[in-house]
Amino acid sequence: MYYNSDTIIYYNGEFVKATEATTNLYGQSLHYGYAVFEGIKSYKTDNGTRIFKAQEHYDRLRRSAEMMYIPFEYTTEELTALTYQLLERNGLSDAYIRPLVFCSPNMSLSRGKESYLAIEAWGWSNGYLSGKQRVMTSSFERPNPKAFRIEAKASGHYVNSILACEEARHKGYDEALLLDAKGYVAESSGANVFFEKDGTLYTPSLGSILPGITRATVIEMCKELDIPVVEKFFTPDEMRGADAAFFCGTAAEVIALESLDDIPFTKDWDSSLCAIIQKGYSNLVVGKNLEEFKLQLR
Ligand code: PMP
């Protein structure tokens, strides 16, 4: 469950009980998916509770609102401070944080006139996301970037994710890999993708994907760890049977793939570069710097 009778959320200027917050049913957000949101995580670290990449997430939330013509006045600093207060009020440390910006009552197809902010948070420990994912190439493409502002984290885009995810689960897979309109690999329903071949990591170029904050973090980590990383467009053919692969995102962190369309990745995970990234990332989120981690690697 996401909340109980004690849970507090931030809702439009005040902290209120989740059970007492209400909304209006005559709005574009509910009817048309016209809203923007973020998925953020906080971790228990040696220096107390820390929100990982708070600035990047709240900058993206503000950019998403702007791209969608949704008026939104909060600064990144205000949003971050409110989120720390929210965590404290709920006694949360390892948590998933979900800010949602949605619009005031208005059923027309015109831009949002006023927005409301809700920030919700719930406890999260990552144990159940470990393991390896069996992935299928989805029959659903990512939304066409000429039809949507695909770099925005907009609620309506996730209808596509639900369709792809359901198809994959129905066919007995754990996750879907979606292609873009040209048949190049894009991303999963809610994470970016990397694969490893002959000592190099590859990830799709920007264009038809959400520019993930974890993806950017992984690219930075590769540079610090001297792991070659290439952003390019590639087909699922190039990826099938590669050495190793992972999905990455705030929620999933770095999660290993077992196979793509039943063709296994060939390298032993523990001896792959992907595994180094996975371990490095789990150090980073709890505030350990990569220098310490590099020493461990030797
Ligand atoms: N792609 C999609 C479609 C997503 O929903 C997410 C999760 N926000 C990601 C990629 C990864 O983004 P991030 O690393 O910023 O969480």
Side-chain angles (χ1 to χ4, degrees), residues 37-40 57 60 96 98 142 150 153 157-158 160-161 186-193 209-217 248-253 281:
F37 69 101
E38 267 303 319
I40 310 175
H57 282 285
R60 186 169 68 187
Y96 185 78
R98 171 53 64 86
R142 282 302 289 163
I150 201 67
K153 197 164 167 66
H157 297 170
Y158 284 81
N160 170 256
S161 298
E187 59 189 335
S188 84
S189 60
N192 293 115
V193 63
I209 61 174
L210 184 78
I213 290 161
T214 318
R215 174 185 179 279
T217 306
C248 68
T250 300
E253 299 191 347
Y281 187 80

Side-chain angles (χ1 to χ4, degrees), residues 217-265:
T217 306
V218 167
I219 292 172
E220 265 172 46
M221 281 175 60
C222 285
K223 290 184 178 150
E224 281 199 45
L225 297 172
D226 287 328
I227 296 174
V229 58
V230 176
E231 294 174 60
K232 67 167 196 168
F233 294 106
F234 55 84
T235 62
D237 260 355
E238 281 180 73
M239 187 174 155
R240 283 188 206 104
D243 297 339
F246 60 84
F247 285 147
C248 68
T250 300
E253 299 191 347
V254 173
I255 183 164
L257 305 195
E258 166 90 36
S259 58
L260 173 58
D261 301 321
D262 298 318
I263 300 177
F265 294 98

Side-chain angles (χ1 to χ4, degrees), residues 168-185:
R169 304 260 156 88
H170 181 73
K171 293 195 168 162
Y173 295 88
D174 301 311
E175 247 301 346
L177 182 69
L178 290 90
L179 309 184
D180 67 15
K182 293 183 179 149
Y184 295 119
V185 170

